[in-house]
């Protein structure tokens, strides 16, 4: 089963470091509800933070704008049946994050497909150099998670990381 999942699962990582155009709305300083509220998204955050803390990084805090950006992108990947950092007709990662009102100085994204659980997807990201680099980048401060399931029950996953201006 692991070999089948390994064959079916595709992982990709992206990192963007550049100032974004100033969005009209300010970044939210909202509570960390996703990490405290339970569920699969909170579990991904907790598992990611456990890996970061083991390496001496501060824990990531969820932000509503990043949660929205991650979920919208994940829904689009599921709807198009395609794993990609920039889908056809979609803006790049920095623009997607800015459109949700987050003012950033650095953004990064991990995406995955086919992992059945938060533990499996975080384990998969940690086994990939680019994804692991994003997770363990101590300069990143905030996180958003997106999860969507296709008609066959397979999951699409997105982590959006950011550092505010």
């Amino acid at each position: 089963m692991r070999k089948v999942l390994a064959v079916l699962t595709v992982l990709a990582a992206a990192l963007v470091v550049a100032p974004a155009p100033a969005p009209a709305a300010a970044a939210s300083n909202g509570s960390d509800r996703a990490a405290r509220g339970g569920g699969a998204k909170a579990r991904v955050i907790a598992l990611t933070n456990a890996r970061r803390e083991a390496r001496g990084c501060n824990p990531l805090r969820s932000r509503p704008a990043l949660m929205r950006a991650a979920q919208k992108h994940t829904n689009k990947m599921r709807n198009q049946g395609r794993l990609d950092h920039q889908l056809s007709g979609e803006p790049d990662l920095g623009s997607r994050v800015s459109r949700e009102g987050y003012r950033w100085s650095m953004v990064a994204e991990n995406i995955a497909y086919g992992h059945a659980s938060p533990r499996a997807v975080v384990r998969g990201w940690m086994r990939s150099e680019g994804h692991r680099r994003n997770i363990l980048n101590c300069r990143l401060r905030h996180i958003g998670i997106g999860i969507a399931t296709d008609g066959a029950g397979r999951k699409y996953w997105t982590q959006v990381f950011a550092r505010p201006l």
Side-chain angles (χ1 to χ4, degrees):
M1 180 69 170
R2 283 187 179 176
K3 287 183 180 182
V4 171
L5 261 181
V7 171
L8 294 177
T9 303
V10 178
L11 299 172
L15 175 66
V16 177
V17 181
S28 171
N29 291 322
S31 68
D32 205 21
R33 286 186 198 119
R36 291 191 314 256
K41 290 181 182 183
R43 188 73 180 132
V44 170
I45 293 170
L47 291 165
T48 298
N49 279 334
R51 300 300 181 112
R52 287 172 59 84
E53 290 173 18
R55 299 296 170 123
C57 296
N58 289 326
L60 296 163
R61 311 250 332 153
S62 70
R63 287 294 179 260
L66 299 179
M67 297 297 276
R68 288 190 305 270
Q71 191 60 56
K72 286 178 181 180
H73 183 66
T74 308
N75 291 345
K76 287 180 182 178
M77 288 191 300
R78 178 206 49 215
N79 294 344
Q80 292 185 21
R82 183 170 172 209
L83 187 73
D84 203 335
H85 288 285
Q86 187 173 1
L87 298 163
S88 178
E90 183 182 51
D92 64 24
L93 171 62
S95 296
R96 293 193 315 264
V97 170
S98 294
R99 283 184 178 180
E100 295 302 326
Y102 186 96
R103 292 176 45 96
W104 57 272
S105 61
M106 176 187 287
V107 292
E109 178 178 72
N110 287 345
I111 57 176
Y113 170 78
H115 295 283
S117 70
R119 182 171 303 284
V121 74
V122 172
R123 185 181 308 126
W125 282 325
M126 289 302 293
R127 290 179 178 163
S128 161
E129 182 179 339
H131 298 98
R132 184 174 53 253
R133 186 172 36 250
N134 286 341
I135 289 170
L136 300 178
N137 184 336
C138 294
R139 296 185 308 166
L140 296 165
R141 298 285 185 248
H142 299 135
I143 191 169
I145 304 296
I147 305 169
T149 305
D150 68 14
R154 292 179 296 257
K155 294 186 185 323
Y156 288 81
W157 305 83
T158 302
Q159 287 181 309
V160 173
F161 306 92
R163 179 181 180 95
L165 281 177

Short mmCIF file of all heavy atoms in Angstrom, two decimals, residues 62-109:
data_model
loop_
_atom_site.label_atom_id
_atom_site.label_comp_id
_atom_site.label_asym_id
_atom_site.label_seq_id
_atom_site.Cartn_x
_atom_site.Cartn_y
_atom_site.Cartn_z
N SER A 62 -1.52 30.17 13.01
CA SER A 62 -2.43 30.26 11.87
C SER A 62 -2.96 31.67 11.74
O SER A 62 -3.07 32.40 12.74
CB SER A 62 -3.58 29.26 12.00
OG SER A 62 -4.45 29.64 13.04
N ARG A 63 -3.24 32.06 10.52
CA ARG A 63 -3.84 33.36 10.23
C ARG A 63 -5.00 33.11 9.27
O ARG A 63 -4.86 32.37 8.29
CB ARG A 63 -2.84 34.32 9.59
CG ARG A 63 -1.79 34.83 10.56
CD ARG A 63 -2.47 35.72 11.62
NE ARG A 63 -1.56 36.23 12.60
CZ ARG A 63 -1.40 35.72 13.82
NH1 ARG A 63 -2.06 34.63 14.18
NH2 ARG A 63 -0.59 36.28 14.68
N PRO A 64 -6.14 33.74 9.52
CA PRO A 64 -7.31 33.53 8.65
C PRO A 64 -7.03 33.79 7.17
O PRO A 64 -7.50 33.04 6.32
CB PRO A 64 -8.35 34.51 9.21
CG PRO A 64 -7.98 34.65 10.66
CD PRO A 64 -6.47 34.60 10.67
N ALA A 65 -6.28 34.82 6.85
CA ALA A 65 -5.99 35.13 5.44
C ALA A 65 -5.22 33.99 4.78
O ALA A 65 -5.48 33.63 3.62
CB ALA A 65 -5.21 36.44 5.32
N LEU A 66 -4.28 33.39 5.51
CA LEU A 66 -3.50 32.29 4.95
C LEU A 66 -4.34 31.02 4.87
O LEU A 66 -4.19 30.23 3.93
CB LEU A 66 -2.24 32.04 5.78
CG LEU A 66 -1.26 33.21 5.85
CD1 LEU A 66 -0.06 32.86 6.72
CD2 LEU A 66 -0.81 33.65 4.46
N MET A 67 -5.24 30.83 5.83
CA MET A 67 -6.16 29.68 5.77
C MET A 67 -7.04 29.79 4.52
O MET A 67 -7.23 28.82 3.81
CB MET A 67 -7.01 29.61 7.04
CG MET A 67 -6.22 29.38 8.32
SD MET A 67 -5.34 27.81 8.40
CE MET A 67 -6.64 26.74 8.98
N ARG A 68 -7.55 31.00 4.26
CA ARG A 68 -8.39 31.20 3.07
C ARG A 68 -7.59 30.96 1.78
O ARG A 68 -8.07 30.28 0.87
CB ARG A 68 -8.98 32.61 3.05
CG ARG A 68 -10.06 32.84 4.07
CD ARG A 68 -10.77 34.18 3.86
NE ARG A 68 -9.88 35.33 3.84
CZ ARG A 68 -9.53 36.04 4.91
NH1 ARG A 68 -9.97 35.70 6.11
NH2 ARG A 68 -8.73 37.08 4.78
N ALA A 69 -6.38 31.52 1.71
CA ALA A 69 -5.55 31.35 0.50
C ALA A 69 -5.25 29.87 0.27
O ALA A 69 -5.36 29.38 -0.88
CB ALA A 69 -4.26 32.15 0.63
N ALA A 70 -4.91 29.15 1.33
CA ALA A 70 -4.59 27.73 1.19
C ALA A 70 -5.82 26.93 0.77
O ALA A 70 -5.74 26.07 -0.11
CB ALA A 70 -4.03 27.19 2.51
N GLN A 71 -6.96 27.20 1.39
CA GLN A 71 -8.17 26.43 1.08
C GLN A 71 -8.66 26.69 -0.33
O GLN A 71 -9.05 25.76 -1.04
CB GLN A 71 -9.28 26.71 2.10
CG GLN A 71 -10.44 25.74 1.96
CD GLN A 71 -10.01 24.30 2.18
OE1 GLN A 71 -9.46 23.96 3.22
NE2 GLN A 71 -10.25 23.44 1.20
N LYS A 72 -8.64 27.94 -0.75
CA LYS A 72 -9.08 28.26 -2.12
C LYS A 72 -8.21 27.56 -3.16
O LYS A 72 -8.72 27.00 -4.14
CB LYS A 72 -9.08 29.78 -2.35
CG LYS A 72 -10.21 30.48 -1.64
CD LYS A 72 -10.14 31.99 -1.86
CE LYS A 72 -11.27 32.70 -1.13
NZ LYS A 72 -11.19 34.16 -1.34
N HIS A 73 -6.90 27.57 -2.94
CA HIS A 73 -6.01 26.91 -3.89
C HIS A 73 -6.23 25.40 -3.88
O HIS A 73 -6.27 24.76 -4.94
CB HIS A 73 -4.54 27.24 -3.57
CG HIS A 73 -3.60 26.65 -4.55
ND1 HIS A 73 -3.54 27.04 -5.88
CD2 HIS A 73 -2.68 25.66 -4.42
CE1 HIS A 73 -2.63 26.34 -6.50
NE2 HIS A 73 -2.09 25.49 -5.64
N THR A 74 -6.42 24.83 -2.69
CA THR A 74 -6.65 23.39 -2.58
C THR A 74 -7.94 22.99 -3.28
O THR A 74 -7.99 21.98 -4.00
CB THR A 74 -6.69 22.97 -1.10
OG1 THR A 74 -5.53 23.46 -0.46
CG2 THR A 74 -6.75 21.46 -0.95
N ASN A 75 -8.98 23.79 -3.11
CA ASN A 75 -10.25 23.51 -3.80
C ASN A 75 -10.08 23.55 -5.31
O ASN A 75 -10.63 22.70 -6.02
CB ASN A 75 -11.33 24.52 -3.37
CG ASN A 75 -11.78 24.35 -1.94
OD1 ASN A 75 -11.52 23.33 -1.30
ND2 ASN A 75 -12.44 25.36 -1.41
N LYS A 76 -9.31 24.51 -5.80
CA LYS A 76 -9.08 24.61 -7.25
C LYS A 76 -8.30 23.40 -7.76
O LYS A 76 -8.61 22.87 -8.84
CB LYS A 76 -8.34 25.90 -7.59
CG LYS A 76 -9.23 27.11 -7.48
CD LYS A 76 -8.49 28.39 -7.84
CE LYS A 76 -9.41 29.57 -7.65
NZ LYS A 76 -8.74 30.84 -7.93
N MET A 77 -7.30 22.95 -7.00
CA MET A 77 -6.55 21.75 -7.42
C MET A 77 -7.50 20.56 -7.50
O MET A 77 -7.47 19.81 -8.48
CB MET A 77 -5.39 21.45 -6.46
CG MET A 77 -4.24 22.42 -6.57
SD MET A 77 -2.75 21.89 -5.67
CE MET A 77 -3.33 21.77 -3.98
N ARG A 78 -8.32 20.37 -6.48
CA ARG A 78 -9.27 19.25 -6.49
C ARG A 78 -10.23 19.38 -7.67
O ARG A 78 -10.47 18.41 -8.39
CB ARG A 78 -10.07 19.22 -5.18
CG ARG A 78 -11.10 18.08 -5.19
CD ARG A 78 -12.30 18.32 -4.31
NE ARG A 78 -12.89 19.62 -4.52
CZ ARG A 78 -13.43 20.35 -3.56
NH1 ARG A 78 -13.46 19.91 -2.32
NH2 ARG A 78 -13.95 21.52 -3.84
N ASN A 79 -10.78 20.56 -7.88
CA ASN A 79 -11.75 20.76 -8.96
C ASN A 79 -11.15 20.51 -10.33
O ASN A 79 -11.84 20.03 -11.24
CB ASN A 79 -12.35 22.16 -8.88
CG ASN A 79 -13.19 22.37 -7.64
OD1 ASN A 79 -13.59 21.42 -6.97
ND2 ASN A 79 -13.46 23.62 -7.31
N GLN A 80 -9.86 20.83 -10.50
CA GLN A 80 -9.19 20.62 -11.78
C GLN A 80 -8.50 19.26 -11.85
O GLN A 80 -7.97 18.88 -12.90
CB GLN A 80 -8.18 21.73 -12.04
CG GLN A 80 -8.83 23.09 -12.27
CD GLN A 80 -7.83 24.16 -12.65
OE1 GLN A 80 -6.72 23.89 -13.12
NE2 GLN A 80 -8.22 25.42 -12.46
N GLY A 81 -8.47 18.52 -10.74
CA GLY A 81 -7.82 17.22 -10.71
C GLY A 81 -6.34 17.32 -11.00
O GLY A 81 -5.76 16.45 -11.65
N ARG A 82 -5.71 18.38 -10.49
CA ARG A 82 -4.31 18.65 -10.84
C ARG A 82 -3.57 19.24 -9.65
O ARG A 82 -4.07 20.12 -8.97
CB ARG A 82 -4.29 19.65 -11.99
CG ARG A 82 -2.93 19.96 -12.49
CD ARG A 82 -3.00 20.75 -13.77
NE ARG A 82 -1.64 21.17 -14.07
CZ ARG A 82 -1.35 22.26 -14.72
NH1 ARG A 82 -2.30 23.05 -15.17
NH2 ARG A 82 -0.11 22.58 -14.95
N LEU A 83 -2.37 18.76 -9.40
CA LEU A 83 -1.51 19.26 -8.34
C LEU A 83 -0.53 20.25 -8.96
O LEU A 83 0.28 19.87 -9.81
CB LEU A 83 -0.76 18.10 -7.70
CG LEU A 83 0.06 18.42 -6.46
CD1 LEU A 83 -0.85 18.67 -5.27
CD2 LEU A 83 1.01 17.27 -6.16
N ASP A 84 -0.61 21.51 -8.57
CA ASP A 84 0.27 22.53 -9.14
C ASP A 84 0.28 23.75 -8.23
O ASP A 84 -0.73 24.05 -7.60
CB ASP A 84 -0.21 22.92 -10.53
CG ASP A 84 0.88 23.51 -11.40
OD1 ASP A 84 1.86 24.05 -10.86
OD2 ASP A 84 0.74 23.44 -12.63
N HIS A 85 1.40 24.46 -8.20
CA HIS A 85 1.49 25.68 -7.40
C HIS A 85 0.77 26.85 -8.05
O HIS A 85 0.35 27.78 -7.35
CB HIS A 85 2.95 26.06 -7.15
CG HIS A 85 3.61 25.14 -6.18
ND1 HIS A 85 3.37 25.19 -4.82
CD2 HIS A 85 4.49 24.13 -6.37
CE1 HIS A 85 4.08 24.25 -4.22
NE2 HIS A 85 4.76 23.60 -5.14
N GLN A 86 0.61 26.82 -9.37
CA GLN A 86 -0.12 27.88 -10.06
C GLN A 86 -0.93 27.25 -11.17
O GLN A 86 -0.40 26.85 -12.20
CB GLN A 86 0.83 28.94 -10.61
CG GLN A 86 0.08 30.13 -11.18
CD GLN A 86 1.02 31.27 -11.56
OE1 GLN A 86 2.23 31.17 -11.43
NE2 GLN A 86 0.45 32.35 -12.05
N LEU A 87 -2.22 27.17 -10.94
CA LEU A 87 -3.12 26.56 -11.91
C LEU A 87 -3.45 27.55 -13.01
O LEU A 87 -3.30 28.77 -12.85
CB LEU A 87 -4.40 26.10 -11.21
CG LEU A 87 -4.16 25.02 -10.15
CD1 LEU A 87 -5.36 24.91 -9.22
CD2 LEU A 87 -3.85 23.70 -10.80
N SER A 88 -3.92 27.05 -14.13
CA SER A 88 -4.26 27.88 -15.27
C SER A 88 -5.26 28.97 -14.85
O SER A 88 -6.26 28.69 -14.21
CB SER A 88 -4.88 27.00 -16.37
OG SER A 88 -5.26 27.78 -17.46
N GLY A 89 -4.93 30.21 -15.20
CA GLY A 89 -5.82 31.32 -14.89
C GLY A 89 -5.74 31.81 -13.45
O GLY A 89 -6.50 32.69 -13.05
N GLU A 90 -4.83 31.26 -12.69
CA GLU A 90 -4.72 31.61 -11.27
C GLU A 90 -3.48 32.48 -11.06
O GLU A 90 -2.45 32.25 -11.68
CB GLU A 90 -4.59 30.32 -10.46
CG GLU A 90 -4.52 30.52 -8.97
CD GLU A 90 -4.34 29.20 -8.22
OE1 GLU A 90 -3.44 28.41 -8.57
OE2 GLU A 90 -5.11 28.99 -7.29
N PRO A 91 -3.55 33.47 -10.16
CA PRO A 91 -2.35 34.26 -9.88
C PRO A 91 -1.31 33.44 -9.13
O PRO A 91 -1.62 32.37 -8.61
CB PRO A 91 -2.87 35.41 -9.01
CG PRO A 91 -4.19 34.99 -8.50
CD PRO A 91 -4.72 33.92 -9.42
N ASP A 92 -0.10 33.98 -9.04
CA ASP A 92 0.96 33.29 -8.31
C ASP A 92 0.68 33.31 -6.80
O ASP A 92 -0.24 33.99 -6.32
CB ASP A 92 2.33 33.87 -8.64
CG ASP A 92 2.48 35.32 -8.20
OD1 ASP A 92 1.78 35.78 -7.27
OD2 ASP A 92 3.32 36.01 -8.79
N LEU A 93 1.47 32.56 -6.05
CA LEU A 93 1.28 32.42 -4.62
C LEU A 93 1.25 33.76 -3.91
O LEU A 93 0.35 34.03 -3.10
CB LEU A 93 2.38 31.53 -4.03
CG LEU A 93 2.43 31.44 -2.50
CD1 LEU A 93 1.15 30.84 -1.94
CD2 LEU A 93 3.65 30.62 -2.08
N GLY A 94 2.22 34.62 -4.17
CA GLY A 94 2.26 35.91 -3.49
C GLY A 94 1.02 36.74 -3.73
O GLY A 94 0.48 37.36 -2.80
N SER A 95 0.53 36.73 -4.95
CA SER A 95 -0.69 37.48 -5.27
C SER A 95 -1.91 36.88 -4.59
O SER A 95 -2.79 37.60 -4.11
CB SER A 95 -0.92 37.52 -6.79
OG SER A 95 0.13 38.22 -7.41
N ARG A 96 -1.97 35.54 -4.52
CA ARG A 96 -3.11 34.89 -3.84
C ARG A 96 -3.14 35.26 -2.36
O ARG A 96 -4.20 35.55 -1.80
CB ARG A 96 -3.04 33.37 -3.99
CG ARG A 96 -3.25 32.89 -5.42
CD ARG A 96 -3.48 31.40 -5.52
NE ARG A 96 -2.62 30.54 -4.75
CZ ARG A 96 -1.52 29.94 -5.20
NH1 ARG A 96 -1.12 30.13 -6.45
NH2 ARG A 96 -0.82 29.15 -4.43
N VAL A 97 -1.97 35.28 -1.74
CA VAL A 97 -1.89 35.64 -0.32
C VAL A 97 -2.24 37.12 -0.12
O VAL A 97 -3.00 37.47 0.78
CB VAL A 97 -0.48 35.30 0.23
CG1 VAL A 97 -0.27 35.88 1.61
CG2 VAL A 97 -0.28 33.78 0.25
N SER A 98 -1.71 37.99 -0.97
CA SER A 98 -2.02 39.42 -0.87
C SER A 98 -3.51 39.69 -1.06
O SER A 98 -4.08 40.52 -0.35
CB SER A 98 -1.22 40.21 -1.91
OG SER A 98 0.16 40.15 -1.63
N ARG A 99 -4.14 38.99 -1.99
CA ARG A 99 -5.58 39.18 -2.24
C ARG A 99 -6.43 38.85 -1.02
O ARG A 99 -7.53 39.36 -0.87
CB ARG A 99 -6.04 38.31 -3.41
CG ARG A 99 -5.66 38.87 -4.74
CD ARG A 99 -6.24 38.02 -5.85
NE ARG A 99 -5.90 38.60 -7.14
CZ ARG A 99 -6.26 38.09 -8.29
NH1 ARG A 99 -6.97 36.97 -8.33
NH2 ARG A 99 -5.92 38.68 -9.42
N GLU A 100 -5.91 37.99 -0.16
CA GLU A 100 -6.64 37.65 1.06
C GLU A 100 -6.37 38.64 2.20
O GLU A 100 -6.92 38.50 3.28
CB GLU A 100 -6.31 36.22 1.51
CG GLU A 100 -6.78 35.16 0.54
CD GLU A 100 -8.28 35.21 0.26
OE1 GLU A 100 -9.06 35.55 1.19
OE2 GLU A 100 -8.67 34.90 -0.88
N GLY A 101 -5.52 39.64 1.93
CA GLY A 101 -5.30 40.70 2.90
C GLY A 101 -4.09 40.53 3.80
O GLY A 101 -3.96 41.25 4.79
N TYR A 102 -3.20 39.62 3.48
CA TYR A 102 -1.99 39.42 4.30
C TYR A 102 -0.85 40.18 3.66
O TYR A 102 -0.52 39.98 2.49
CB TYR A 102 -1.66 37.92 4.37
CG TYR A 102 -0.54 37.59 5.32
CD1 TYR A 102 -0.80 37.19 6.63
CD2 TYR A 102 0.79 37.67 4.91
CE1 TYR A 102 0.23 36.89 7.51
CE2 TYR A 102 1.83 37.37 5.77
CZ TYR A 102 1.55 36.98 7.06
OH TYR A 102 2.57 36.67 7.93
N ARG A 103 -0.22 41.07 4.43
CA ARG A 103 0.95 41.83 3.96
C ARG A 103 2.20 41.04 4.32
O ARG A 103 2.52 40.90 5.48
CB ARG A 103 0.95 43.21 4.59
CG ARG A 103 -0.20 44.08 4.08
CD ARG A 103 -0.25 45.43 4.78
NE ARG A 103 1.05 46.06 4.89
CZ ARG A 103 1.55 46.97 4.05
NH1 ARG A 103 0.83 47.37 3.02
NH2 ARG A 103 2.74 47.49 4.25
N TRP A 104 2.88 40.54 3.30
CA TRP A 104 3.98 39.60 3.53
C TRP A 104 5.31 40.13 3.02
O TRP A 104 5.36 40.96 2.12
CB TRP A 104 3.67 38.26 2.86
CG TRP A 104 3.41 38.35 1.38
CD1 TRP A 104 2.21 38.57 0.77
CD2 TRP A 104 4.37 38.22 0.33
NE1 TRP A 104 2.37 38.59 -0.59
CE2 TRP A 104 3.68 38.37 -0.89
CE3 TRP A 104 5.74 37.98 0.31
CZ2 TRP A 104 4.31 38.30 -2.13
CZ3 TRP A 104 6.37 37.91 -0.92
CH2 TRP A 104 5.65 38.06 -2.12
N SER A 105 6.39 39.59 3.61
CA SER A 105 7.73 39.82 3.10
C SER A 105 8.33 38.52 2.55
O SER A 105 9.30 38.56 1.81
CB SER A 105 8.63 40.38 4.21
OG SER A 105 8.74 39.46 5.28
N MET A 106 7.74 37.38 2.93
CA MET A 106 8.18 36.07 2.45
C MET A 106 6.99 35.12 2.48
O MET A 106 6.21 35.13 3.44
CB MET A 106 9.29 35.52 3.36
CG MET A 106 9.75 34.13 3.01
SD MET A 106 10.91 33.46 4.24
CE MET A 106 12.36 34.42 3.86
N VAL A 107 6.81 34.35 1.43
CA VAL A 107 5.78 33.31 1.40
C VAL A 107 6.37 32.03 0.84
O VAL A 107 7.33 32.05 0.07
CB VAL A 107 4.53 33.70 0.56
CG1 VAL A 107 3.76 34.82 1.22
CG2 VAL A 107 4.88 34.06 -0.86
N ALA A 108 5.80 30.91 1.25
CA ALA A 108 6.21 29.60 0.76
C ALA A 108 4.99 28.70 0.76
O ALA A 108 4.00 28.97 1.46
CB ALA A 108 7.31 29.02 1.63
N GLU A 109 5.05 27.63 -0.01
CA GLU A 109 3.90 26.73 -0.13
C GLU A 109 4.36 25.30 -0.30
O GLU A 109 5.29 25.03 -1.04
CB GLU A 109 3.08 27.16 -1.35
CG GLU A 109 1.87 26.32 -1.64
CD GLU A 109 1.10 26.86 -2.83
OE1 GLU A 109 1.60 26.74 -3.97
OE2 GLU A 109 0.02 27.45 -2.61
#
